[in-house]
Amino acid sequence: MQNNDVFKVQKFPAEEILLPIDGKEGSIPPGEYIEDCMYSCSTINDFIKLTDDMMKDILLLEEELVRWRQALIKYLPERWAEGLRQDIFNNTARCYAGDPAYDLYVQAKGYDPQQSEEHTEFMHRLANGTDESSITYL
C-alpha cells in the first residue's frame, strides 16, 4: 500500500505483521498493539479509505431521503405534510462520534463530514426546497 496523501497516513516502515485482532484465544489484547499500528499500518489506511467511501455513500443517501421527503410534502394532506415537515430529518444517518474507529477516521480526515457546516446548510436547503438540486426547486 502506498502512502496516502489525503489522510497523511505514513507508510509502514517494516514488513507488516498479521496480528490476530478478533479477541479469540491467542490474539493480542488491543492495548498492546494498536498504538504502534494506529497511523502506519496499511490495513488502517485501507480502513480509513473504506470508511471515507462509506461516509460519502451515507451522506448521499441521507440527502436523497430528505430530497424525496420534501418533494412528497406537496402531495400529502395538510396535517400529514406538516408532520413530515417537522420530522423531515428523522431516521437519517446516526452520528458515529464517540466510536473509536470513527474517531480515528475523523482524526485522519481532519473534520467530521457528518457535522460539517457545509453539509448541514445543504441539508437545510434541501429540507426547505430551496437548493437547486431539490426536486421541487423552481
Side-chain angles (χ1 to χ4, degrees):
M1 190 84 224
Q2 298 297 320
N3 187 17
N4 184 329
D5 294 331
V6 175
F7 296 110
K8 299 179 180 79
V9 178
Q10 300 173 355
K11 187 176 178 184
F12 195 61
E15 289 183 27
E16 187 172 349
I17 300 171
L18 297 176
L19 298 173
I21 58 172
D22 56 9
K24 295 180 181 173
E25 188 175 330
S27 67
I28 300 171
E32 291 184 23
Y33 68 86
I34 195 70
E35 292 301 320
D36 295 334
C37 178
M38 189 174 288
Y39 298 109
S40 57
C41 286
S42 63
T43 303
I44 297 297
N45 190 39
D46 290 344
F47 158 77
I48 291 171
K49 287 180 191 176
L50 174 63
T51 304
D52 190 51
D53 288 343
M54 292 171 69
M55 280 309 304
K56 288 175 185 172
D57 290 344
I58 288 169
L59 294 177
L60 286 173
L61 290 170
E62 183 180 75
E63 292 164 10
E64 283 299 309
L65 176 67
V66 171
R67 185 177 284 119
W68 282 100
R69 283 180 177 176
Q70 200 282 330
L72 179 64
I73 286 173
K74 69 180 183 179
Y75 297 103
L76 294 175
E78 185 56 35
R79 66 170 205 235
W80 291 358
E82 186 56 35
L84 184 54
R85 263 188 219 95
Q86 292 175 7
D87 298 336
I88 201 160
F89 294 115
N90 275 7
N91 297 318
T92 54
R94 69 181 181 93
C95 180
Y96 296 98
D99 181 281
Y102 188 74
D103 290 344
L104 175 63
Y105 162 71
V106 168
Q107 184 178 1
K109 188 162 182 77
Y111 71 96
D112 185 345
Q114 286 187 304
Q115 303 298 326
S116 76
E117 189 173 323
E118 179 182 316
H119 178 69
T120 302
E121 289 172 2
F122 178 65
M123 292 298 289
H124 284 282
R125 286 194 314 271
L126 285 176
N128 295 327
T130 58
D131 189 79
E132 291 179 357
S133 68
S134 295
I135 294 167
T136 58
Y137 178 78
L138 291 177

